[in-house]
Amino acid sequence: MAINDQNAEMSMGGEPKGGPKFDRGHQLSIFVRDRNEDLTALLFAFLIAMSGLMFFG
Amino acid sequence: MIYTKKSPALVIIGILMFLWGWLNASGSIDGLQSALQKSAYSDHTKVNEKFQAELRFANEQAQTEGKPAPELKKPTSKFDKEKAFQTKFGYFFGSVFVLIGLFILTWKAKAGNLDYYISTVPGMALILLIAFVVRWGLDPMFANWGKDVQAAGILSWDFAKIFNLNYVVMGILAGIVIVNVIGIPAWAANGVRTARVFLKTGVILLGTLYSAAELAQLGFLSVVMIGIFVLGSVWLVLLMGRRMKCPNTMTGVLSAGLGVCGVSATVAASPVVQAKAGEIAYTIGTILLWGVGCMFIFPTVGHVLGMGPVQFGAWAGTGILNSAQVAGAALAFDPHGIETLKVAEIFNITRVLFLPIIVLWLAAWFVKHEESAVKVNLAEVLVAKFPLFVLGFIAMFALSSTGVFAPAGHYQGKYFSSAEVKEDKLLKPKEVRALEAELPKARNASETKAMQDLIANRKVMTREEGETLKSVAKIEGFDAVAAGAIANANKAATHDSKIIKNFRDWLAWLFSIGLIGLGMQITVASIKQAGGKPLIIGSVVGTLKAVGSLVVVLMFVKEFV
């Protein structure tokens, strides 16, 4: 099964979200519909920035 | 629903990574590594030769003095460090993936969060494995190849640099090839989707590379000119996109790519406007092809119109979209002088520094236009829908501007500091004497003062004096030793922030992973779906920008630098 055949949109939060039925090929927007992913990215970036300051500051 | 698929793939990926670590540690692939990392290896050979000579000398001395042979510690070269890094990376991820892979094979999965998170690991491992190949294999291989072809005289330019065949583009290409040729296996599907979180993290960290103080140092003309053209291009693309009924996602990402600086701006803006993978690939393709065309046309037009180095640099820095291509055009116009390149780079840097403004603008624009079908309160929608990671990017840019990571005036971690010049980097007596002899050649009071300060302190005291001294070194008949002393002094006062260097490494990995995942979502169908309209918009705006900036440069830019 290729990734393109999946209908459910997932979030980083864990449970699948019932998304619209996508056409093959263009369905995966790199944006996620809730903010979990943004928060995860913010957390990662914060951790990297802090470790940079701690080890090289 | 159970997401974790039972497959030995993760164990195999783990073993491959572990094996790579072991091959590096044992030195079995030193031949391959030395071919890939040519400059690091030549540095390694020099370090080794120097060490052997020192060791011989110390042994001989000990022998004549009748003492036991001394124990000298072998210095670590860049090549050794890179190999050690790859070893650690291979061992760490290899063992983690083997362990999780064995767990997946033996575990009786139950629906829930653990199942969901575990299901993302094989896909991430696959992307990381491809990132290994791209960053440690393909990237240096193409870089070497481009240089070799140029050195052999087959091409007069470095094709790997001009076509941007670095890890960014190759990561996307690798993803595209995989999804279109073999498809994404079911066990990797969930992990591939999580790749975008790394892309967003990368975008946030991108903010640390720039500082607002750098803008102030760039000069009024470049800021105003670039401001008008960057903001004007973005505005025009947004307007044309709406008129031609292009999707907002496509229009948004295209405007950033055409307005700011090509690939990195496209990547930074893509999550802001929810651009689809195919649209991002389309935009990057348009920009790169357009840039290659400009790189050949611009120098010819410049010579036909009899433009000076400053004028041409300003034009190339404004009109050409991609940083490598700006440098390519500047060098094609003036292969022996650095004046054109310097001016072009100043204009190019100014353009990149507009990125935070564009990102904010696009975020607000996108939210407004996506929600306009239903009349709602814009402020409420902004609060509810504004992408949070953009705030992270702005916050990092603000922090970077205050000087938390590196002194406030830095650009991509490089900054000027006279106080941090090391003792052994101060000018040697021979260099000072050469400078003293050349002192009468200074053309004005500021040049005299800059030279006197350099002689007295044996280092450059301020950034402005450094710039003045650079132009002094170009005076006709100026002594080569004195000119070399000025170059050394300037180099000694320019530092690279360790923190930002560390961030740049992180960024490269995050973007590699994110972009491979992105490439894995680009199918032929998605490119076809973008249609011909973006290409029309790209060509119209690109041409207007090139012609407009040419007119402005010819009217207002004089040979003043």
Side-chain angles (χ1 to χ4, degrees), chain B residues 9-10 12-20 89-90 93-94 97 121-138 174 178 187 509 513 516 520:
Chain B
L10 188 59
I12 297 170
I13 292 174
I15 292 173
L16 286 175
M17 286 183 176
F18 200 89
L19 194 67
W20 183 256
F89 227 71
F93 284 105
F97 291 151
V121 180
M124 281 198 247
L126 175 68
I127 291 182
L128 196 62
L129 183 73
I130 301 167
F132 272 30
V133 177
V134 170
R135 298 258 300 133
W136 292 339
L138 294 177
I178 290 168
W187 53 264
W509 279 107
I513 295 169
I516 291 166
M520 285 182 168

Side-chain angles (χ1 to χ4, degrees), chain B residues 85-114:
Chain B
F85 178 68
Q86 293 193 14
T87 306
K88 272 188 221 157
F89 227 71
Y91 281 164
F92 177 76
F93 284 105
S95 19
V96 169
F97 291 151
V98 167
L99 287 176
I100 300 179
L102 290 174
F103 175 72
I104 288 177
L105 284 176
T106 50
W107 180 48
K108 218 173 163 218
K110 273 182 251 149
N113 279 342
L114 179 66

Side-chain angles (χ1 to χ4, degrees), chain A residues 6 16 26 29 35 37-38, chain B residues 3 193 196 200 386 388:
Chain A
Q6 294 207 350
H26 72 287
S29 152
R35 283 180 163 172
E37 193 174 68
D38 284 20
Chain B
Y3 293 103
R193 270 174 221 185
R196 62 195 162 195
K200 285 182 177 177
F386 195 84
L388 285 178

Side-chain angles (χ1 to χ4, degrees), chain B residues 124-237:
Chain B
M124 281 198 247
L126 175 68
I127 291 182
L128 196 62
L129 183 73
I130 301 167
F132 272 30
V133 177
V134 170
R135 298 258 300 133
W136 292 339
L138 294 177
D139 187 320
M141 195 177 87
F142 273 90
N144 288 337
W145 196 12
K147 276 186 204 130
D148 290 347
V149 168
Q150 192 182 16
I154 300 168
L155 284 175
S156 59
W157 37 282
D158 183 340
F159 78 90
K161 219 173 198 173
I162 297 310
F163 286 103
N164 252 35
L165 294 177
N166 50 27
Y167 70 90
V168 174
V169 170
M170 277 190 296
I172 299 180
L173 285 178
I176 294 178
V177 170
I178 290 168
V179 75
N180 288 291
V181 177
I182 48 174
I184 310 294
W187 53 264
N190 258 6
V192 167
R193 270 174 221 185
T194 54
R196 62 195 162 195
V197 80
F198 299 105
L199 204 61
K200 285 182 177 177
T201 311
V203 173
I204 298 172
L205 274 186
L206 199 65
T208 60
L209 298 191
Y210 312 115
S211 78
E214 181 69 25
L215 259 180
Q217 288 165 351
L218 288 172
F220 184 68
L221 180 79
S222 69
V223 174
V224 171
M225 192 171 149
I226 291 285
I228 291 171
F229 279 100
V230 166
L231 302 179
S233 313
V234 173
W235 175 77
L236 197 60
V237 175

